[in-house]
């Protein structure tokens, strides 16, 4: 099994003091989190893409380029690239450049994105968002593979034997399809033989497992080898400590801050209380052995080979979160690496003759 540390670059006031970290400092914290992920032995570091409050993750290729310059081993993920909002030609240019600068360490997780504010910002409607996502991906995919592209897309100007530079380093970059609740993204991934990444953060395991099963069914429907299907999964929080009581108490302030945020937004919480959240969500909260057992329970449902964890704390306690990451890597990750297989490909740059 492989492990990613990801961040959405949340920029919110400290729930206790109301103080807001300056933007410059907050972005530097993200880079420090990436350096820590590499130091601790994580396999990948991911940055989300959101174009609305309270996030500072509107430009993942810029952030990841800086991370690429400061690291040497960790693979660089987007979590996710919202292709429904982007011109696929421009997105290709940004990410092909980043792929060269990182010596082929880039992997993309794509998705339609969510949030009314960012749809309004880019003049995208809920009705056409899925069509934009599929069209942008199909064109992005062609540009990565073909030296000249002709196309008449619906949502951007036509291309007539267009050459888009730079030509890629990885041939092609690996693209995962991020899925939360939609069968459209699952079917798109299966159709093209791409790996699936289940969000797996908001609800209990049931609806996510259903979509993963659907992905495997569609994968076989499209004629792909079942042994080559790959699934990743998210987690809703992290707090690892020597005892479950210590882990739960360490996570309590972050949970309370999340509940307060939902209340301000007028949203109903999915989980009754912290105990319910620990038991039924995908959050990894407990002793090392409890976390190992929980990942195995989810693996029984998903068969996943990649797991993402929060690179940064949900609250202000960065030192406590670092201790959780350290304990995860020293006592949890080695066991899961032994007991759960890796994805069905080498963990490194995609070679020109790699058909994945």
């Amino acid at each position: 099994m492989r492990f990613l540390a990801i961040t959405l670059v949340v920029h919110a006031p400290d729930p206790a003091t109301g103080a807001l970290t300056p933007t410059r400092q907050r972005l530097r914290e993200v880079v420090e989190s990436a350096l820590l992920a590499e130091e601790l032995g994580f396999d990948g570091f991911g940055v989300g893409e959101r174009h609305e409050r309270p996030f500072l993750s509107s430009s993942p290729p810029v952030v990841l380029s800086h991370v690429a310059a400061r690291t040497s081993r960790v693979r660089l993920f987007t979590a996710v690239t919202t292709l429904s909002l982007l011109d696929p030609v421009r997105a290709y240019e940004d990410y092909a450049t980043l792929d060269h600068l990182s010596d082929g360490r880039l992997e993309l997780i794509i998705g339609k994105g969510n949030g009314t504010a960012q749809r309004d910002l880019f003049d995208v409607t809920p009705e056409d968002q899925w069509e934009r996502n599929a069209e942008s991906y199909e064109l992005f995919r062609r540009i990565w593979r073909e030296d000249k592209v002709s196309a008449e897309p619906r949502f951007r100007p036509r291309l007539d034997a267009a050459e888009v530079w730079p030509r890629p380093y990885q041939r092609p970059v690996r693209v995962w399809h991020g899925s939360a609740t939609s069968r459209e993204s699952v079917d798109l991934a299966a159709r093209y033989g791409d790996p699936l990444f289940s969000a797996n953060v908001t609800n209990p395991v049931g609806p996510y497992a259903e979509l993963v099963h659907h992905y495997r069914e569609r994968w076989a429907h499209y004629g792909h080898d079942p042994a080559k299907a790959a699934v990743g999964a998210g987690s809703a929080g992290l707090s690892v400590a020597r005892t479950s009581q210590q882990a739960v108490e360490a996570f309590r302030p972050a949970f309370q801050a999340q509940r307060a945020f939902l209340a301000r937004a007028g949203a109903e919480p999915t989980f009754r209380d912290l105990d319910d959240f620990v038991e039924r969500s995908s959050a990894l909260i407990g002793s090392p052995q409890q976390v190992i057992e929980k990942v195995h329970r989810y693996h029984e449902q998903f068969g996943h080979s990649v797991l993402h964890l929060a690179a940064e704390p949900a609250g202000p306690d960065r030192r406590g979160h670092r201790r959780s990451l350290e304990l995860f890597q020293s006592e949890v990750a080695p066991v899961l690496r032994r007991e759960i297989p890796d994805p069905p490909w080498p963990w490194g740059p995609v070679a020109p003759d790699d058909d994945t």
Side-chain angles (χ1 to χ4, degrees):
M1 177 169 255
R2 298 286 179 161
F3 302 100
L4 316 180
I6 73 159
T7 177
L8 296 178
V9 199
V10 175
H11 191 223
D14 184 313
T17 68
L20 185 66
T21 302
T23 298
R24 176 175 174 274
Q25 180 181 337
R26 182 69 190 91
L27 290 171
R28 290 180 181 276
E29 288 176 349
V30 172
V31 177
E32 292 302 314
S33 294
L35 295 176
L36 177 63
E38 179 160 276
E39 175 190 332
L40 294 180
F42 278 88
D43 302 291
F45 180 80
V47 174
E49 180 179 340
R50 297 293 291 268
H51 299 269
E52 59 187 338
R53 290 178 182 271
F55 305 99
L56 295 178
S57 50
S58 59
S59 187
V62 175
V63 177
L64 289 173
S65 289
H66 192 65
V67 170
R70 299 285 305 277
T71 58
S72 61
R73 180 196 58 79
V74 69
R75 292 191 67 74
L76 308 174
F77 281 74
T78 61
V80 301
T81 294
T82 51
L83 278 181
S84 66
L85 307 179
L86 306 178
D87 181 333
V89 175
R90 191 71 185 94
Y92 165 83
E93 292 172 334
D94 285 343
Y95 285 115
T97 301
L98 169 56
D99 199 36
H100 281 279
L101 291 171
S102 66
D103 294 326
R105 287 189 281 145
L106 177 65
E107 302 203 19
L108 301 180
I109 307 175
I110 68 163
K112 73 170 181 63
N114 53 33
T116 301
Q118 61 182 11
R119 282 199 303 264
D120 292 345
L121 187 64
F122 289 91
D123 194 27
V124 172
T125 70
E127 292 74 27
D128 67 20
Q129 198 164 8
W130 280 115
E131 295 177 35
R132 286 176 180 271
N133 184 67
E135 178 184 283
S136 291
Y137 172 62
E138 289 161 358
L139 189 53
F140 182 94
R141 178 185 175 89
R142 288 187 59 195
I143 295 170
W144 209 283
R145 289 164 170 78
E146 301 174 23
D147 291 335
K148 295 183 179 181
V149 175
S150 296
E152 294 191 12
R154 176 183 171 193
F155 298 106
R156 62 145 288 127
R158 62 175 290 175
L159 299 174
D160 187 8
E163 297 180 273
V164 189
W165 292 87
R167 296 313 299 147
Y169 182 90
Q170 295 186 91
R171 298 177 178 267
V173 69
R174 181 170 291 112
V175 177
W176 300 69
H177 294 248
S179 169
T181 59
S182 167
R183 292 195 168 204
E184 286 92 338
S185 57
V186 166
D187 190 80
L188 190 66
R191 187 188 323 161
Y192 285 105
D194 294 330
L196 179 73
F197 216 107
S198 172
N200 191 40
V201 295
T202 306
N203 298 299
V205 68
Y208 301 117
E210 181 180 339
L211 282 178
V212 170
H213 297 329
H214 182 65
Y215 166 71
R216 296 186 186 279
E217 291 171 359
R218 298 306 292 170
W219 178 277
H221 169 81
Y222 287 116
H224 304 301
D225 181 353
K228 292 186 176 181
V231 173
S235 57
L238 178 70
S239 182
V240 189
R242 287 299 170 194
T243 69
S244 61
Q245 294 84 358
Q246 290 171 333
V248 169
E249 287 310 308
F251 195 79
R252 189 177 299 279
F255 179 78
Q256 291 172 340
Q258 291 173 353
R259 292 297 284 262
F261 176 81
L262 290 175
R264 290 193 299 270
E268 284 291 326
T270 303
F271 303 98
R272 294 187 305 274
D273 50 32
L274 179 54
D275 289 339
D276 188 38
F277 181 76
V278 171
E279 176 63 27
R280 295 197 303 124
S281 81
S282 62
L284 303 176
I285 300 172
S287 68
Q289 185 58 38
Q290 288 172 317
V291 170
I292 290 167
E293 291 171 358
K294 189 166 195 177
V295 173
H296 270 291
R297 291 199 301 274
Y298 272 78
H299 183 261
E300 290 173 1
Q301 296 287 327
F302 296 157
H304 58 309
S305 53
V306 179
L307 174 68
H308 86 47
L309 311 173
E312 301 185 293
D317 187 9
R318 299 188 70 84
R319 183 176 298 178
H321 190 70
R322 174 172 182 143
R323 289 195 296 269
S324 279
L325 292 172
E326 290 172 339
L327 193 54
F328 182 91
Q329 282 290 40
S330 64
E331 297 195 19
V332 177
V335 176
L336 295 175
R337 290 185 194 278
R338 289 195 306 268
E339 297 177 349
I340 298 177
D342 279 352
W345 57 69
W347 192 261
V350 178
D353 59 350
D354 190 333
D355 64 0
T356 61

